[in-house]
Amino acid sequence: MKKSVLFILALLVTFNITAQLDRSTPPKPGPAPKVNIGKAQTFELKNGLKVFVVENDKVPVVSYTLSLDIDPLVEGEKAGYSSIAGDLMSSGTSERTKAQIDEAVDFIGATLKTSSKGMYASSLKKHSGELLNLMTDVLYNPSFPNQELEKAQKQLLTALKSQKDDPQSIASNIKNVLRHGKNHPYGEILTEESVKAITVDDLKAYYETYFRPNVAYLVIVGDISLKEAKKQAKTHFAQWEAKEVPAHKYEYPKGFDVPKVVVANKDGSTQSTISLSYNIDLKPGDADAIKARVMNSILGGGSFSARLFQNLREDKAFTYGAYSSLSSDELVGTFNAGANVRTSVTDSAFTEIIYEMKRLRTELVDEKDLQLVKNALTGRFSRSLEDPATVAQFALNIEKYNLPEDYYETYLEKLSAVTAEDVQAMAQKYLTPDNALILAVGDVPNMKASLAKFAKDSKVEMYDFYGNVVKAMPLPADLTAEKVINKYIAAIGGADAIAAVDNYVLEGTMSVQGMPLNMKMYSRRPNHQCVETYMQGNLVSKQVFNGEAGKVVSPMGEQKIEGEMLENMKAESVLFPETQYAELGYQLELLGADNVDGQDVVKVKVISPSGKEQTVFYSRNTGLKVKEVSTSPQGTMASTYTEYAEVNGIKFPKKMSQAVGPQSFDITFETIKVNEGIDASKFDI
């Protein structure tokens, strides 16, 4: 009986406790703790080098990060030289070649990287002495070999070709120029001319001027004691000679009094890359920094629950993702909101971005949403503390930006204290769409007019890759697409000469990701084509079309071509298709005038019978084809043609550059043969 009573009493107590718990309301978070991050140990060498040491004996690894605290530079007509100087520091010294440096680093399983603002090295502790010998050899004795400079210039020039057809790169250039001006270090952009103008003397001058210990920090992290770190620093870095380093001051860029609406053309694009951005005065460690970060996280700071993502993707289905960023900087901070959207909703996407910005300015955020963001930021901060390098970076930031000693220890307290009123105040201060650069990169004819409503004067300006205004170039009133094509046919030799061509062979060389390749293209009437690619004399790929069937041969085997790919191959195998556009059923549309690499051109949209579209650019002066742009499942393909040579009365381009997404390569045709015959077996399927 007694046991039964106790059992009933236990049930009643349990029921009473459960009844008092309201599980529909989550418990309120407790007070944020003051984080005991730990202190980096510091000391300074006589030459002014400041050293930060963070001990971590969990893994027998030591890393060394050398960073320069110098002002950004205006590089003028040689824009890009500081970046190349930093990259090439590890490309050879007075004691070692690049190959010897790479071999020595690999031998001890280490990492060694250099940049215009310093270098980074890491290895097992037992190899730290050898690593420091390599690191300081690179630091003290860089030789900047001319052949390495030429290689770096070639790589940059190749990258520039790809960037010209990359909407993100186009947008970045235009934003940098318009928000900062070309005479500001953040407004400079690389050009072909500036890259080609860089010399070894420029690299050496940059190194001699700015790589000095009195403007440098050395951060040592890993399995090392303070005593060992002091010994290594004195042994390897004490002889580094101090020297006065130039300081550079710049006026704060003038902003926009009203929205500035700008477009840039991306031929063949089916979507628009949009951006709403402006400069902000927000420096690292500013009193607003944490509150402003919370505000931006709610707006579009990277999570799926952010308002821009929810609005433009989940609600409107305009895009796969929409984001915003708010960045602090010693010179000029930045706000940016953007997405990639369908061309038809370009204006609507901007409308929704502006709506969400204004909503944060006028409405208090919900406490649940605010707490969710603060929880996420707390988690990120806490996880970052698991990396010992974080402690060193915090100590470095406190030193560089003159932050309070407890700035990071009290970070979570300050984050927890952010209120909905703080978020609204930050939005009112930093979300200013009425002073923004509103930029869209894409199919200008189909989006420009709809963007006029965002400009106070309804003016929409067009800019190019270099951040220059594109001036209208009117065409003759009687010009038609057909006349442009006829001029091209006449320019390459004329209809009679073209009709006399039964076959031709092009043999050329190209380089793909540093690998030299040879290419042979065989073409024969009516529509036979074979393209072979060789590496070191070995066939690596082959595409064949015999007029009816097609195949691709690769190291993976043979594949029969069918469907849309077969139709495309059939169309591409026609010799000089421009002479047969009418009978083949092509549609032509004159799009207008443009400029390609300094040449005034006329643009024509060419639509094949299968519906595939191409934008083709013809020189207004010579009539020759300058560029073609088309879209495929692999991305937008852009081909440019230069240096035409005449063979048997027909002009062929000797050089062709192709860019598909981030990949680009140049082809030079050294041999062009016309009507010399082709073995029929080349087209066997």
Side-chain angles (χ1 to χ4, degrees), residues 43 148 182 278 365 407 569:
F43 60 90
E148 294 297 330
K182 290 187 176 182
Y278 46 83
V365 299
Y407 182 83
M569 186 177 279

Side-chain angles (χ1 to χ4, degrees), residues 39-45 50-57 62 64 125 218-235:
K39 300 286 186 181
Q41 302 177 88
T42 65
F43 60 90
E44 185 174 333
L45 301 184
K50 296 180 178 67
V51 185
F52 297 79
V53 182
V54 177
E55 299 182 36
N56 177 43
D57 59 3
V62 185
Y64 306 86
K125 179 177 180 177
L218 177 63
V219 177
I220 305 175
V221 178
D223 187 11
I224 189 169
S225 68
L226 178 62
K227 181 178 179 180
E228 291 172 314
K230 283 184 175 181
K231 182 178 179 181
Q232 287 187 344
K234 290 176 181 178
T235 300

Side-chain angles (χ1 to χ4, degrees), residues 75-82 84 146 149-150 152-154 156-157 160 189-205:
E75 301 177 10
E77 296 179 352
K78 298 189 177 185
Y81 75 83
S82 66
I84 293 180
N146 190 65
L149 170 59
E150 291 175 352
Q153 287 171 313
K154 187 174 181 180
L156 272 178
L157 292 172
L160 277 173
I189 57 175
L190 269 64
T191 67
E192 289 84 352
E193 292 74 22
S194 72
V195 171
K196 292 176 182 177
I198 297 169
T199 67
V200 168
D201 288 340
D202 297 321
L203 311 185
K204 291 180 177 179

Side-chain angles (χ1 to χ4, degrees), residues 617-632:
F617 303 72
Y618 297 94
S619 169
R620 295 185 69 171
N621 180 32
T622 65
L624 295 171
K625 186 184 298 181
V626 174
K627 183 178 179 180
E628 290 179 327
V629 176
S630 60
T631 302
S632 69

Side-chain angles (χ1 to χ4, degrees), residues 288-585:
D288 287 345
I290 296 174
K291 291 180 285 188
R293 185 180 183 190
V294 172
M295 180 274 294
N296 181 69
S297 296
I298 294 170
L299 176 65
S303 72
F304 290 164
S305 62
R307 291 184 175 184
L308 292 181
F309 192 95
Q310 287 294 314
N311 185 327
L312 274 73
R313 172 180 163 140
E314 299 300 322
D315 184 32
K316 306 296 189 307
F318 288 167
T319 178
Y320 287 112
Y323 307 97
S324 67
S325 63
L326 191 145
S327 307
S328 62
D329 187 87
E330 288 183 281
L331 288 185
V332 186
T334 302
F335 172 81
N336 186 82
N340 293 322
V341 302
R342 301 191 311 276
T343 302
S344 60
V345 299
T346 303
D347 60 326
S348 300
F350 276 122
T351 296
E352 296 305 320
I353 290 173
I354 293 170
Y355 164 75
E356 294 296 352
M357 293 172 70
K358 290 185 175 180
R359 185 157 75 100
L360 269 177
R361 289 173 57 91
T362 57
E363 300 177 10
L364 288 175
V365 299
D366 184 85
E367 283 294 334
K368 289 183 180 179
D369 294 339
L370 175 59
Q371 193 59 50
L372 183 66
V373 166
K374 291 197 291 185
N375 290 345
L377 293 177
T378 297
R380 290 177 204 168
F381 181 83
S382 301
R383 287 191 297 274
S384 74
L385 299 179
E386 298 173 5
D387 184 355
T390 299
V391 178
Q393 187 60 54
F394 286 171
L396 185 57
N397 290 346
I398 290 171
E399 173 73 22
K400 286 179 66 175
Y401 305 126
N402 196 28
L403 303 179
E405 285 293 326
D406 65 348
Y407 182 83
Y408 292 102
E409 291 180 350
T410 59
Y411 180 89
L412 292 183
E413 291 179 287
K414 294 191 284 279
L415 176 60
S416 178
V418 176
T419 65
E421 288 76 14
D422 291 331
V423 170
Q424 186 178 43
M426 293 299 97
Q428 291 171 350
K429 185 174 182 179
Y430 294 109
L431 300 184
T432 57
D434 290 338
N435 305 105
L437 172 64
I438 295 175
L439 167 66
V441 180
D443 185 2
V444 167
N446 288 323
M447 68 179 181
K448 183 177 180 180
S450 67
L451 299 180
K453 61 188 174 187
F454 297 108
K456 296 296 183 183
D457 57 1
S458 299
K459 183 179 179 181
V460 179
E461 295 181 294
M462 186 171 172
Y463 281 75
D464 64 14
F465 173 78
Y466 300 101
N468 298 318
V469 175
V470 176
K471 297 178 181 179
M473 294 180 287
L475 294 173
D478 62 343
L479 186 65
T480 64
E482 288 73 18
K483 288 183 178 180
V484 174
I485 300 300
N486 289 336
K487 184 176 180 180
Y488 167 71
I489 292 171
I492 63 172
D496 291 341
I498 292 172
V501 177
D502 176 71
N503 61 81
Y504 64 80
V505 179
L506 306 178
E507 297 181 8
T509 58
M510 60 181 174
S511 177
V512 178
Q513 296 181 341
M515 297 181 293
L517 302 173
N518 295 90
M519 188 180 77
K520 296 181 180 180
M521 180 185 296
Y522 303 89
S523 297
R524 189 182 73 181
R525 290 190 190 277
N527 54 348
H528 289 57
Q529 189 176 78
C530 173
V531 180
E532 299 174 337
T533 305
Y534 296 84
M535 179 186 294
Q536 297 179 345
N538 299 312
L539 182 69
V540 292
S541 72
K542 181 177 181 179
Q543 297 180 37
V544 184
F545 182 73
N546 67 0
E548 295 180 357
K551 72 175 181 180
V552 173
V553 181
S554 71
M556 304 298 292
E558 291 191 11
Q559 179 184 357
K560 185 179 179 181
I561 303 301
E562 298 176 327
E564 184 180 347
M565 286 185 64
L566 183 64
E567 290 301 312
N568 290 336
M569 186 177 279
K570 181 177 181 180
E572 291 166 2
S573 66
V574 176
L575 271 69
F576 308 103
E578 291 83 0
T579 61
Q580 305 175 58
Y581 274 166
E583 59 192 86
L584 292 175

